[in-house]
């Protein structure tokens, strides 16, 4: 008996497999065909275009987006999928298939050929069966169906990239022409060591990933790299997928995730662009300016250092692009000001009180977007205490401010006793002097390149605070070591 039972189970399995294969060849959804044949329901034909549109709607629901927003297949409550009229021949074929299924008769090869040659493109059929299709998908721990596998989700998001509001042409105007035709004072040698290991791929690599793959021992990017305008254009126009608050620091900063997988650091507008540091305020209590980050990037590029990550300005809607996409802890800090403006406080160690809140006008706000460097796990960075760091005290000075021979002590210690590090600090002193940045307490380098690489030019938020004043103490490294 056991042998007969095994033979019966094997035969039943073969029958099910044949039904599934027949359904796949004829355009009928296999699992739905078997289930409908058992319960006597009509067959449902696959319409790939409408099916993809339905999946796209479900993805937007899981991401918390509007079903009729940018990139959605739904506009004004109606599907954008093509509405093709069903011919009488198609209707007759569908009715024949339904009758055969309800009577339990097998489908002949002629029926399959008719079904394959004349697919039905009826939106109502697909939409009526959408919920049933979603129920067939695997569930997560919250009993919610997964939209698609992870790779498919990423592919769907990349396929829904919004068209840019404007197209920035590379090397137009005097500023861009400088990088096209101007001299290169600090060229990267051919075959320079790359920060990340090269890899081969057949997919289209986004601009942010190409930027990270191009970082080498000598610079973050090449002098006339056409990738930079493309990267800046993407940061200024791509749709935002998620917003998180970046921990640490004296002022609020947000981590922006784009739908193409890229990330950017957002510093919001705090003070007007022509704001100057209050004379009675110390350098360490100054408010960070988003436009200072943008200006410092362009100066770093003109000086041919190429050690500051690309920066660009962008306007955001605080409701739809920050509040709706942020986590619960960030949303709890939002409020409406007496001037009827949308504001938020965030979490930081200094300027995160109600009186120093970030406010829109009424819900639009400007800020700087900085291209993100590779993750720490892929490219570890080492943080160094700047030897000419200020005291950050209201009552005492730093040692170097009263010691003219301070450089001798610095030269005797690692990493300034070998390699190029001390010379790079001289370049950094010139850069900080031109920007008026007195807040250089630490700097970072990539661990992979050891002591034979450049310091990154990061955190210029307190630069350009007194644009009519030259702070000569910033040049102390050059005064101590070179003069």
């Amino acid at each position: 008996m056991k042998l007969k039972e095994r033979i019966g189970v094997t035969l039943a399995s073969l029958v099910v497999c044949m039904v599934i294969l027949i359904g796949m060849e004829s355009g009928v959804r296999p699992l739905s065909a078997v289930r409908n044949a058992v319960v006597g329901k009509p067959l449902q034909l696959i319409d790939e275009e409408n099916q993809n549109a339905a999946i796209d709607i479900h993805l937007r629901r899981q991401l918390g987006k509007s079903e009729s927003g940018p990139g959605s297949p739904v506009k004004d409550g109606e599907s954008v999928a093509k509405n093709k009229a069903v011919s009488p021949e198609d209707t007759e074929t569908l009715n024949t298939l339904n009758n055969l299924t309800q009577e339990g008769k097998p489908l002949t090869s002629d029926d399959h050929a008719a079904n394959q040659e004349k697919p039905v493109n009826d939106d109502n059929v697909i939409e009526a069966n959408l919920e049933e299709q979603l129920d067939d998908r695997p569930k997560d721990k919250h009993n919610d169906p997964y939209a698609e596998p992870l790779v498919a989700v990423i592919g769907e998001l990349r396929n829904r990239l919004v068209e840019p509001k404007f197209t920035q042409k590379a090397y137009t105007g005097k500023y861009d022409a400088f990088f096209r035709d101007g001299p290169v004072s600090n060229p990267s040698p051919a075959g320079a060591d790359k920060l990340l290991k090269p890899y081969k791929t057949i997919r289209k690599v986004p601009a942010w990933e190409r930027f990270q793959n191009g970082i080498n021992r000598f610079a973050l990017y090449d002098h006339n790299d056409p990738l930079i305008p493309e990267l800046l254009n993407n940061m200024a126009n791509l749709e935002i997928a998620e917003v998180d608050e970046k921990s640490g620091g004296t002022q609020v900063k947000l981590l922006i995730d784009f739908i193409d997988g890229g990330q950017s650091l957002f510093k919001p507008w705090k003070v007007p662009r022509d704001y100057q540091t209050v004379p009675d305020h110390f350098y360490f209590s100054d408010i960070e300016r988003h436009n200072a980050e943008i200006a410092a990037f362009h100066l770093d590029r003109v000086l041919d250092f190429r050690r500051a990550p690309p920066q660009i300005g962008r306007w955001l809607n605080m409701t739809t692009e920050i509040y709706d996409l942020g986590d619960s802890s960030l949303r709890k800090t939002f409020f409406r000001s007496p001037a009827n403006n949308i504001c938020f406080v965030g979490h930081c160690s200094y300027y995160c009180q109600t009186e120093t809140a970030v406010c829109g006008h009424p819900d639009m706000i400007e800020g700087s977007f900085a291209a993100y460097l590779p993750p720490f796990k892929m490219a570890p960075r080492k943080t160094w205490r700047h030897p000419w760091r200020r005291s950050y005290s209201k009552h005492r000075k730093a040692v170097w401010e009263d010691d003219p021979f301070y450089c001798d002590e610095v030269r005797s210690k690692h990493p300034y006793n070998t390699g190029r590090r001390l010379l790079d600090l001289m370049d950094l002193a010139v850069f900080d002097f031109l920007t008026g940045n007195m807040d250089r307490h630490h700097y970072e380098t990539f661990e992979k390149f050891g002591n034979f690489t450049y310091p990154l030019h990061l955190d210029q938020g307190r630069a350009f605070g007194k644009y009519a004043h030259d702070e000569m103490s910033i040049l102390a490294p050059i005064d101590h070591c070179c003069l």
Side-chain angles (χ1 to χ4, degrees), residues 48-94:
E48 295 293 341
E49 185 175 4
N50 288 298
Q51 180 189 4
N52 292 337
I55 293 175
D56 191 77
I57 295 172
H58 188 65
L59 279 173
R60 296 185 67 85
R61 290 175 179 172
Q62 288 197 341
L63 292 175
K65 295 180 178 294
S66 171
E67 297 179 7
S68 58
S72 173
V74 175
K75 292 184 178 179
D76 300 329
E78 297 182 0
S79 175
V80 183
K82 297 180 181 179
N83 298 319
K84 296 182 180 179
V86 181
S87 63
E89 293 81 2
D90 294 335
T91 304
E92 183 180 357
T93 301
L94 180 61

Side-chain angles (χ1 to χ4, degrees), residues 23-43:
M24 293 176 64
E25 293 179 358
S26 60
V28 180
R29 184 175 299 278
L31 295 179
S32 299
V34 176
R35 182 176 60 252
N36 293 343
V38 174
V39 300
K41 292 184 179 180
L43 291 175

Side-chain angles (χ1 to χ4, degrees), residues 168-171 176 225-234 301:
Q168 181 177 354
K169 297 181 180 180
Y171 310 126
D176 290 326
D225 193 347
L227 171 66
I228 301 305
E230 180 184 355
L231 178 63
L232 296 176
N233 188 43
N234 287 350
R301 194 180 179 195

Side-chain angles (χ1 to χ4, degrees), residues 194-195 209-216 219-222 227:
K194 297 292 186 180
L195 178 63
E209 191 171 346
R210 282 180 280 144
F211 163 71
Q212 294 183 358
N213 292 335
I215 298 175
N216 57 55
L220 292 178
Y221 53 91
D222 292 334
L227 171 66

